[in-house]
Amino acid sequence: MTEPTRNRTALTVAVWAWVVLPFGYGVYELVQKATQLFTG
């Protein structure tokens, strides 16, 4: 793999992580709160 491709791949992974991790945490919190709401 050439150097620019490796840099682009690392950047792509970092950007997706920046988006997916907070989204996943939000979904996790939503499920927890919804469970509490419906189970009392």
Side-chain angles (χ1 to χ4, degrees), residues 20-38:
V20 169
L21 291 176
F23 181 77
Y25 178 73
V27 170
Y28 172 74
E29 288 291 321
L30 175 68
V31 168
Q32 277 193 327
K33 290 183 192 294
T35 302
Q36 289 175 356
L37 179 66
F38 290 115

Side-chain angles (χ1 to χ4, degrees), residues 10-25:
L11 179 63
T12 302
V13 168
V15 168
W16 273 107
W18 186 263
V19 171
V20 169
L21 291 176
F23 181 77
Y25 178 73

